[in-house]
Amino acid sequence: MKVTVVGTGYVGLVTGACLAQVGNQVLCVDVDADKVARLRAGEVPIHEPDLPAIVQEGIASGHLRFTTDIAEGVTHGDFLFIAVGTPPDEDGSADLRHVLAVAGDIGKHLQRPVTVINKSTVPIGTAQKVRTGIALALQERATDIAFDVVANPEFLKEGAAVADFMKPDRIIIGTDDGAAAERMRALYAPFNRNHDRLIVMDPPSAELTKYAANVMLATKISLMNELAGLAERMGADIEQVRRGIGADPRIGHAFIYPGCGYGGSCFPKDVRALEYNARQYDFDAPLLAAVEKVNNRQKGLLEQKVVRALGEDLTGKTIAVWGLAFKPNTDDMREAPSRVLMEALWRRGAHVQAFDPAAMDEARRLYGGQCALQLCPDPYVACKEADALVICTEWQQFRSPDFARMRSLLRQSLVVDGRNIYDPTTVRAEGFTYHAIGRP
């Protein structure tokens, strides 16, 4: 099939590469000429396991191409994916300018019937706005060409996006048109073989499903973090509590790990966007506000633990930080707890020595001018002469370190574990003062 994907960000590039992997003719469109040139050379600008390989395979086979020409993209595709960004405005609403601009471009260049698929994360009612935008552009051309608009939200986890696309747990199709649903079923057939994962619903329900999924997961995280705060004060161990409640199949083990807060491009933005949508419909949604409030408070917890151990004034102190990305297997530092921690430490006069397996370039981009930050080549160099080690991201390579080497390098044997990756008894037996989340 001929597929066009407008936008080569995280969602667009994964979508295009995976659709090309199964044999479709995919053309990805982006306004950034430099990015398009890099992609044509097989250079993937984001850290995502398995993605570089399938992008390079798609280019080599001729199934995956890149262009800056939106007219070429509209002309090429029978399926036109909109996968551009919807950044949050200051009031929390999703900015739809890029989505609606693409809708106008489609209407401006459309030559034959197509299926337009909105893959961007958008508020409820956006499918109708896209439909209206295309129709108005066609009307200006005095042209009547049939088209469908389908809401098809993505459910890709950073660090596992290729696997999530190739073996999805569900494929949500939002349309009121049976023929459009069947075309989407045919497009997704290679990913829908073992059992039927395709769920068809109306467009507003599909759009809300995306927000509801992320808000549900964010709520589980914030609830566990709130319980962790209670556990610390009550002398309970939140890790034992987690195992106890996770054994209940109605709760399960996923997303009940306490820590230093969630970050990334999805959870924070989507919680705020749904909260904003609720206000637009005059609906009071206090739980959504509470989820964000608890998460923001949790991100400040690591600073509090360092201050309680070392004092309010950290001038002359050096803090080692392991993990800068908001989660493992990505270089994404958007709204990462590490950023809240480091910026708080700098305000108190501390120097930071940091290491992350993937996010060092992103840290340089964000904080290249920060003289109180030293980016280190490995985690042990980061520990050298540091007064404390703080763990912000649960990368696998941090889970079984050489504790004796750590202790010999640190100026003070203080570990603040923001992800509860160590057993307190083991770490304390190695001679460390150990502070975790929700553990006595």
Side-chain angles (χ1 to χ4, degrees):
M1 300 183 184
K2 291 185 176 181
V3 178
T4 294
V5 181
V6 184
T8 60
Y10 184 83
V11 173
L13 186 56
V14 171
T15 298
C18 290
L19 288 171
Q21 179 78 356
V22 297
N24 297 297
Q25 296 293 327
V26 179
L27 179 62
C28 293
V29 183
D30 201 287
V31 296
D32 187 334
D34 180 62
K35 180 192 276 190
V36 167
R38 292 169 62 192
L39 288 167
R40 284 173 173 167
E43 183 181 344
V44 175
I46 57 175
H47 179 90
E48 181 61 39
D50 302 322
L51 184 58
I54 65 170
V55 167
Q56 291 157 12
E57 287 174 17
I59 293 169
S61 68
H63 288 114
L64 181 62
R65 297 186 294 117
F66 300 92
T67 184
T68 58
D69 188 346
I70 185 65
E72 180 187 4
V74 174
T75 301
H76 167 84
D78 297 313
F79 296 88
L80 307 180
F81 281 87
I82 301 176
V84 294
T86 54
D89 282 338
E90 290 184 4
D91 59 4
S93 62
D95 186 345
L96 294 179
R97 284 178 297 173
H98 303 303
V99 170
L100 298 180
V102 174
D105 287 337
I106 291 172
K108 181 179 178 180
H109 299 291
L110 196 60
Q111 300 297 328
R112 67 183 191 283
V114 296
T115 300
V116 178
I117 304 149
N118 198 2
K119 201 72 174 170
S120 301
T121 299
V122 294
I124 293 80
T126 301
Q128 183 56 49
K129 291 181 180 180
V130 169
R131 185 178 291 109
T132 300
I134 296 171
L136 287 174
L138 288 171
Q139 186 177 340
E140 289 177 3
R141 293 169 52 198
T143 302
D144 185 17
I145 300 174
F147 66 93
D148 300 299
V149 176
V150 174
N152 175 218
E154 54 86 15
F155 299 95
L156 306 178
K157 298 187 295 292
E158 291 194 43
V162 171
D164 285 344
F165 197 101
M166 301 300 274
K167 296 180 180 180
D169 48 25
R170 78 280 212 198
I171 303 167
I172 302 295
I173 304 297
T175 180
D176 295 316
D177 185 280
E182 288 309 305
R183 285 192 289 275
M184 294 299 295
R185 185 178 293 277
L187 178 66
Y188 277 115
F191 315 100
N192 195 35
R193 292 193 179 279
N194 292 340
H195 62 273
D196 191 5
R197 300 174 174 87
L198 198 129
I199 304 172
V200 180
M201 58 185 71
D202 59 89
S205 296
E207 292 163 341
L208 181 55
T209 296
K210 167 61 178 179
Y211 280 115
N214 280 350
V215 168
M216 179 68 75
L217 298 175
T219 301
K220 292 181 73 173
I221 294 170
S222 281
L223 177 58
M224 282 304 295
N225 284 334
E226 193 157 273
L227 291 173
L230 280 174
E232 281 192 21
R233 288 157 179 79
M234 295 174 171
D237 186 338
I238 195 63
E239 286 298 311
Q240 296 186 41
V241 174
R242 177 186 63 79
R243 290 194 292 270
I245 65 174
D248 185 332
R250 296 170 300 174
I251 297 173
H253 292 283
F255 285 84
I256 61 169
Y257 289 82
C260 50
Y262 60 75
S265 63
C266 294
F267 286 6
K269 175 174 71 74
D270 292 353
V271 170
R272 292 177 202 136
L274 190 56
E275 186 182 0
Y276 174 85
N277 285 174
R279 291 197 301 271
Q280 299 306 108
Y281 286 88
D282 295 320
F283 181 77
D284 184 28
L287 184 56
L288 297 180
V291 168
E292 184 178 12
K293 180 180 178 181
V294 170
N295 192 59
N296 289 337
R297 181 180 67 188
Q298 200 71 12
K299 288 182 180 180
L301 192 58
L302 297 181
E303 176 202 3
Q304 295 171 22
K305 290 179 179 292
V306 171
V307 167
R308 280 201 293 269
L310 300 179
E312 296 280 345
D313 185 0
L314 299 178
T315 303
K317 301 291 186 183
T318 297
I319 310 300
V321 174
W322 284 5
L324 298 172
F326 85 94
K327 63 178 285 188
N329 298 320
T330 181
D331 61 353
D332 194 343
M333 289 180 63
R334 283 175 286 185
E335 304 215 30
S338 65
R339 297 182 63 177
V340 176
L341 170 67
M342 292 193 299
E343 290 168 14
L345 294 175
W346 292 328
R347 287 192 296 270
R348 292 183 178 274
H351 179 77
V352 173
Q353 296 175 173
F355 170 78
D356 187 282
M360 302 295 268
D361 287 342
E362 180 66 2
R364 289 187 189 94
R365 185 186 72 81
L366 292 169
Y367 299 117
Q370 175 54 260
C371 60
L373 172 65
Q374 179 185 349
L375 295 172
C376 301
D378 69 58
Y380 296 103
V381 173
C383 289
K384 188 175 182 180
E385 294 299 312
D387 296 282
L389 166 63
V390 183
I391 298 165
C392 291
T393 314
E394 63 275 31
W395 285 93
Q396 285 290 345
Q397 73 180 83
F398 300 157
R399 291 185 178 274
S400 186
D402 184 337
F403 287 114
R405 186 179 177 190
M406 286 167 54
R407 192 174 63 252
S408 70
L409 290 167
L410 288 166
R411 187 182 298 155
Q412 299 187 52
S413 298
L414 172 64
V415 174
V416 178
D417 184 354
R419 295 299 180 183
N420 287 4
I421 63 175
Y422 301 134
D423 174 66
T425 303
T426 300
V427 181
R428 288 172 185 144
E430 292 283 349
F432 290 91
T433 300
Y434 178 72
H435 300 282
I437 306 294
R439 311 198 76 173

